[in-house]
Amino acid sequence: MKAVIMAGGKGTRLRPLTSHTPKPMVPLLNRPCMEYTIDLLKKHGITEIAVTLQYLPEAIRNEFGDGSRYGVSLVYFEETTPLGTAGSVKNCADFLDERFIVISGDTLTDIDLSAAVRFHEEKEALATLILTQVETPLEFGVVMTDENGLINRFLEKPTWAEVFSDMVNTGMYVFEPEVLSYIDNDREVDFSKEVFPYFLGEGKPMYGYAAEGYWSDIGSLEIYRQAQFDLLDGKVQLQIKAQEIAPRIFLESHVRIDSSVRLEGPVYIGENVHLQAGVAVGAYSILGSNTVVSSGTKLSQAIVWENTMVGKKTEIAGTTLCRNVQVGESVLLGEGAVIGDNCRLSSKSVVKAGVKIWPDKEIGESATVTTSLIYGTKQSKSLFGTNGIKGIGNVEVTPEFVTRLAASYAYLLRAGSRIALSACSHPFAQLLKHSIMTSLCSSGIDTVDFGIGNSPLMRYGVRSLQCVGGIHVYMAEPAEEKEIVIQFVDHEGLPVSRDMERKIENAYWQETYVRSLHHLGELHVEHQVQEAYLRALTERVDVASIQRQRFRLLIECEPRFMPAFLAPLFHSLGVSVQYGAIQEGVCKHGADLGIRLDKNGEQFALFSEHGEKLSPEQVLALQLLACSGIHNKIGLPVSAPMELEHLAQLLQLEVVRTKVAPRAMMEVASEERFHPMFDAVYSLLRLLSYLAKEEKPLSVLLALLPACHMEKKIVFCPWGSKGKVMRKMLEENKGKLLELVDGIKVYDANGWVLILPDTEDSHVKVISQGATAETAATLASSYAKRIAEYQ
């Protein structure tokens, strides 16, 4: 049996460790990560190994050669252009003439490969994916199997709302050679995105082997450190190639240690290390070959690569130092700091916690470094949430932040692309818009400034002016929280896809910018978008019937922009508007209905002529009524009641059930210029048009709407437990009618329950519908209790 080691990764999330070092060559206890993979294959009798290369290939070739030093035979296959995971394996096709294993060169694992192969044989599988359980499955492919191990659902890098299990794809596979026939030559093809979904759709025998044992994808600096601590603690059943001179104290050969040195296990000390008098090496410290630690220095949880010189009386706590680093006397290095290859830190310098210094930098004497040099710190969570990027104004979202963000976005665009920009009327939002504009233009991107606006206006303008995309900035409500939201839209005016969000995030974290004085973008100001939008709105309603009704409205909205923006529209329709707080009373003003518009013009609350506030389900039903005759297809979220689907069918509206994310609902009818569920003004006008046609007050229409009994609960759930909760929920409800469009929707005789992990907070939403309000409440409470128990 043969194997393929995937060793082409750049390891961008591990920078600066991987600035000069391919990810499989990053050392774990003074040995390249890939060496552990070779040892594991050899342990299971697999010695004929292909190695795929792309990034810094010579570093890997020079280290491992033909493999004879490790008791295996290595054959290298280098990619000149990226081929993806499947394309990389297909590139080795001439070598792979029998059953083979695919394994990553940058993971640490002791999983029993022989057991996985036996499982593969027993199932007569075409492909077997080796699976493991993890706390946070977002960065992996989540997999679900039946009781025989046959894979029946696969989702690559899900959001929390899509997580249906904590069982993930490890990137290790057992394949029959026939798998190669499904992969195109010389093209970028990915197993998770293309090959496995195809196998699933075609019913190919693709199985999942739930493995026991240790597995760690070395995907971040924190995980890189933890993997070595786990090796030292004996959690990984792999050989540590050093002498254990005392419990969990490992030394390689030719180590010189002064008699006054204090060692506190577990520690690992590489070949030719010299520890001078008075050095204290604390627990979980790892010293690479040829390192010298001068007298009086204190180390704790320090990871030091080879050929590093540490000066006297220095303190290193929780820091990672790469190769050939020179640390002066009395230097202080903080927790989580990373020092790149060939750096020089002069005497009495201080590097604060979390700071990352890229290779070949020099820090002056007595200097204090508080921010990363050249590249910034990776964020602790995704930039994007459900509805864009959010943060406290001038604290988390600053002009400096949006400048970097816009430059990251520009890196993904072609020079000369046109990007639309708008912001709400708040001065700080306008300031941020100008920072974004400057950054985009300096990166060679043309900008079109719409001035003051909202998201529906932005979406319309991007489509009308055929821009490549757009960015809208607004101050969210409630205003006292000072939360800024930044929304990105694509060329169709839809929120950008999750794939594009990831690309923006990666470019931001890596600070991959392109700027040149020879290619500056142009700035355009577009004053006509508002007029064009309002004109297009009136084309979608029966103006004459609205004018005949002489509607009176009470509108509560933000005071700076909306009243002036809406004035010409309502004037042309003969609608009288009073602006004020809804609590003053719709009846008091003699209004036909009351509307509370959200600041960004996307959502609204509705009140009848009697002052009765409509439920979200009633508003949704009215929106369906208002869409009839002008829309053919509409996206309804899985959280919407079943009665609305029946109503849509009566109205001859095609309904597509979608995720609750705005993009998912909008892209059902992406060709539409207006999206009723996310354009409050358009929805309001369509509703007025419908009321005028029916010549009935709103309260009469409400009485005709189907009754819906819904209940919503929010259950606290730590991030690390969400995957387990979803898996247990699936296991418990096996055999019931389930829907996995978004979260887990469970149907039973009494109604349905939707279990939806929140993408931004540590909780799970429970939404239920029942035949009665009591049934819905009982269902929601029952599942909320189970979620709490599963944790």
Side-chain angles (χ1 to χ4, degrees):
M1 189 168 172
K2 295 181 177 180
V4 179
I5 296 178
M6 309 288 280
K10 289 184 177 180
T12 49
R13 289 183 296 160
L14 282 177
R15 289 179 182 173
L17 304 186
T18 51
S19 297
H20 294 164
T21 303
K23 192 178 175 188
M25 289 295 295
V26 168
L28 302 175
L29 300 192
N30 204 35
R31 295 165 59 201
C33 181
M34 185 171 135
E35 187 177 330
Y36 293 91
T37 303
I38 292 172
D39 285 351
L40 182 67
L41 290 170
K42 183 183 173 185
K43 176 182 176 182
H44 291 278
I46 303 168
T47 57
E48 292 186 73
I49 303 168
V51 182
T52 68
L53 304 175
Q54 185 187 359
Y55 177 64
L56 301 175
E58 292 309 312
I60 295 174
R61 278 199 186 96
N62 292 341
E63 173 66 28
F64 294 104
D66 63 2
S68 56
R69 186 156 55 99
Y70 302 91
V72 297
S73 172
L74 299 180
V75 182
Y76 297 97
F77 294 86
E78 186 175 342
E79 300 169 36
T80 53
T81 58
L83 294 175
T85 53
S88 295
V89 173
K90 182 61 178 266
N91 199 37
C92 311
D94 293 343
F95 175 81
L96 300 172
D97 52 2
E98 58 183 88
R99 179 182 295 151
F100 61 95
I101 277 183
V102 174
I103 190 168
S104 176
D106 51 27
T107 57
L108 181 67
T109 182
D110 59 12
I111 283 173
D112 187 343
L113 301 181
S114 298
V117 173
R118 286 194 298 272
F119 174 90
H120 176 86
E121 289 175 341
E122 290 166 6
K123 300 298 181 182
E124 298 181 348
L126 172 65
T128 295
L129 283 60
I130 298 177
L131 312 178
T132 192
Q133 284 179 267
V134 298
E135 280 191 352
T136 307
L138 298 188
E139 291 302 318
F140 308 104
V142 179
V143 181
M144 189 165 75
T145 65
D146 66 13
E147 58 274 8
N148 295 315
L150 186 68
I151 293 174
N152 51 31
R153 190 167 169 82
F154 182 96
L155 188 61
E156 180 67 6
K157 293 186 177 177
T159 64
W160 272 119
E162 297 168 318
V163 168
F164 45 80
S165 176
D166 57 355
M167 192 68 75
V168 301
N169 174 18
T170 63
M172 297 190 286
Y173 316 119
V174 186
F175 285 152
E176 295 301 311
E178 184 191 339
V179 166
L180 299 174
S181 66
Y182 296 97
I183 306 170
D184 294 340
N185 288 313
D186 303 319
R187 184 174 77 81
E188 189 169 352
V189 185
D190 193 87
F191 281 123
S192 297
K193 293 179 182 176
E194 296 166 75
V195 179
F196 296 155
Y198 175 78
F199 285 176
L200 201 57
E202 295 294 312
K204 300 290 182 185
M206 181 170 66
Y207 285 80
Y209 171 69
E212 295 182 353
Y214 183 91
W215 178 81
S216 178
D217 173 44
I218 313 296
S220 70
L221 293 165
E222 294 79 10
I223 294 173
Y224 167 71
R225 292 176 60 81
Q226 187 60 49
Q228 297 183 81
F229 300 161
D230 291 343
L231 276 165
L232 287 174
D233 283 336
K235 294 179 180 178
V236 193
Q237 300 306 306
L238 293 172
Q239 182 185 4
I240 294 178
K241 295 182 180 178
Q243 182 182 359
E244 190 173 4
I245 63 164
R248 315 314 297 174
I249 295 179
F250 299 92
L251 268 64
E252 293 185 20
S253 59
H254 308 298
V255 174
R256 294 163 57 201
I257 302 179
D258 187 271
S259 60
S260 61
V261 168
R262 288 185 292 116
L263 299 178
E264 179 190 349
V267 297
Y268 188 98
I269 299 174
E271 188 176 31
N272 295 323
V273 167
H274 183 193
L275 303 180
Q276 297 181 358
V279 167
V281 182
Y284 299 103
S285 291
I286 298 148
L287 304 181
S289 301
N290 307 310
T291 290
V292 176
V293 182
S294 302
S295 58
T297 285
K298 296 179 180 179
L299 309 176
S300 66
Q301 295 191 357
I303 296 177
V304 182
W305 292 11
E306 62 191 5
N307 302 326
T308 290
M309 174 71 190
V310 182
K312 296 178 181 179
K313 297 179 181 177
T314 283
E315 290 190 24
I316 303 176
T319 308
T320 304
L321 291 85
C322 296
R323 293 182 187 87
N324 308 317
V325 175
Q326 298 287 324
V327 182
E329 190 173 326
S330 301
V331 170
L332 190 60
L333 303 182
E335 182 79 28
V338 183
I339 314 298
D341 293 340
N342 310 315
C343 283
R344 303 288 180 268
L345 281 62
S346 300
S347 299
K348 299 179 183 177
S349 58
V350 176
V351 178
K352 292 289 189 179
V355 167
K356 296 172 183 61
I357 299 178
W358 252 243
D360 306 307
K361 301 294 176 290
E362 185 168 340
I363 308 301
E365 187 172 346
S366 300
T368 297
V369 184
T370 58
T371 57
S372 298
L373 287 189
I374 301 204
Y375 289 77
T377 307
K378 179 185 179 299
Q379 303 295 306
S380 60
K381 60 179 182 178
S382 298
L383 295 179
F384 285 86
T386 306
N387 196 34
I389 296 173
K390 297 179 182 177
I392 305 301
N394 235 3
V395 177
E396 296 168 324
V397 179
T398 62
E400 294 85 359
F401 169 79
V402 298
T403 299
R404 285 180 55 196
L405 181 68
S408 306
Y409 179 48
Y411 174 74
L412 304 170
L413 305 172
R414 290 184 178 180
S417 297
R418 288 209 308 168
I419 298 298
L421 301 174
S422 68
C424 74
S425 58
H426 194 282
F428 187 66
Q430 289 289 322
L431 183 151
L432 291 179
K433 180 187 70 175
H434 288 285
S435 295
I436 292 169
M437 186 186 305
T438 303
S439 184
L440 289 175
C441 288
S442 70
S443 301
I445 304 300
D446 294 347
T447 59
V448 185
D449 185 6
F450 291 171
I452 296 174
N454 56 32
S455 288
L457 193 63
M458 162 63 71
R459 288 196 287 270
Y460 175 85
V462 165
R463 284 181 64 94
S464 299
L465 297 175
Q466 297 181 320
C467 295
V468 171
I471 303 174
H472 176 64
V473 184
Y474 69 96
M475 185 73 78
E477 296 175 296
E480 60 267 16
E481 291 185 6
K482 298 184 173 61
E483 187 175 66
I484 284 283
V485 181
I486 304 170
Q487 294 180 327
F488 286 75
V489 300
D490 65 14
H491 67 285
E492 294 184 301
L494 304 181
V496 292
S497 66
R498 182 61 190 132
D499 185 53
M500 186 60 174
E501 289 177 350
R502 287 181 184 275
K503 288 178 179 177
I504 294 170
E505 288 170 347
N506 288 338
Y508 174 84
W509 292 328
Q510 297 163 27
E511 295 201 12
T512 38
Y513 311 146
V514 175
R515 288 194 172 121
S516 168
L517 274 175
H518 304 292
H519 300 285
L520 298 177
E522 296 181 359
L523 168 62
H524 306 273
V525 178
E526 179 55 64
H527 296 292
Q528 307 304 317
V529 174
Q530 289 185 24
E531 289 180 24
Y533 169 76
L534 294 175
R535 193 162 53 247
L537 279 179
T538 57
E539 291 170 2
R540 304 277 284 186
V541 296
D542 187 343
V543 173
S545 62
I546 293 176
Q547 288 173 334
R548 282 195 300 272
Q549 287 298 116
R550 311 297 294 176
F551 285 108
R552 294 173 60 84
L553 307 180
L554 173 61
I555 297 182
E556 181 179 325
C557 60
E558 65 85 33
R560 297 187 191 186
F561 168 67
M562 275 293 187
F565 170 60
L566 294 174
L569 174 67
F570 287 132
H571 178 74
S572 68
L573 295 172
V575 175
S576 301
V577 179
Q578 180 76 35
Y579 293 97
I582 293 293
Q583 66 188 27
E584 293 177 7
V586 179
C587 302
K588 175 184 173 184
H589 290 280
D592 296 296
L593 52 102
I595 309 99
R596 180 183 290 130
L597 293 172
D598 84 350
K599 188 169 185 177
N600 200 35
E602 293 189 292
Q603 305 296 326
F604 65 100
L606 205 55
F607 300 79
S608 75
E609 74 274 20
H610 302 312
E612 174 192 0
K613 184 180 180 181
L614 278 64
S615 69
E617 290 75 33
Q618 287 176 313
V619 171
L620 206 49
L622 286 174
Q623 286 176 312
L624 290 180
L625 286 172
C627 288
S628 61
I630 197 162
H631 290 262
N632 299 317
K633 190 192 296 186
I634 198 157
L636 272 183
V638 290
S639 56
M642 292 182 290
E643 287 81 0
L644 296 190
E645 206 166 325
H646 304 323
L647 176 62
Q649 288 171 354
L650 293 174
L651 298 170
Q652 297 184 320
L653 262 175
E654 181 187 348
V655 166
V656 178
R657 287 289 192 169
T658 73
K659 296 179 172 65
V660 296
R663 178 184 171 88
M665 295 171 65
M666 289 188 216
E667 66 184 347
V668 167
S670 58
E671 71 285 351
E672 291 284 354
R673 287 186 298 172
F674 304 102
H675 297 279
M677 309 304 178
F678 298 95
D679 189 333
V681 177
Y682 174 67
S683 268
L684 174 60
L685 258 60
R686 288 296 311 157
L687 179 58
L688 292 179
S689 188
Y690 185 81
L691 289 170
K693 184 182 75 171
E694 295 292 319
E695 296 185 341
K696 293 173 181 157
L698 182 56
S699 57
V700 173
L701 274 183
L702 291 179
L704 301 175
L705 295 179
C708 305
H709 302 291
M710 308 285 294
E711 182 74 21
K712 297 176 184 177
K713 287 185 177 294
I714 291 177
V715 186
F716 172 76
C717 182
W719 293 101
S721 298
K722 286 183 179 180
K724 179 171 70 173
V725 163
M726 298 301 279
R727 173 172 54 83
K728 285 183 172 289
M729 193 63 69
L730 270 178
E731 290 171 355
E732 182 185 308
N733 290 287
K734 193 172 289 184
K736 291 185 179 179
L737 178 59
L738 301 177
E739 196 174 277
L740 302 176
V741 173
D742 204 12
I744 300 172
K745 193 172 184 180
V746 184
Y747 291 88
D748 68 15
N750 298 315
W752 56 260
V753 177
L754 177 66
I755 300 97
L756 197 61
D758 194 275
T759 57
E760 296 178 8
D761 294 308
S762 52
H763 62 242
V764 174
K765 296 175 185 173
V766 179
I767 304 169
S768 67
Q769 181 180 10
T772 64
E774 292 78 12
T775 306
T778 301
L779 272 172
S781 297
S782 168
Y783 278 82
K785 183 180 178 184
R786 278 180 245 187
I787 290 168
E789 289 171 353
Y790 291 155
Q791 297 171 36

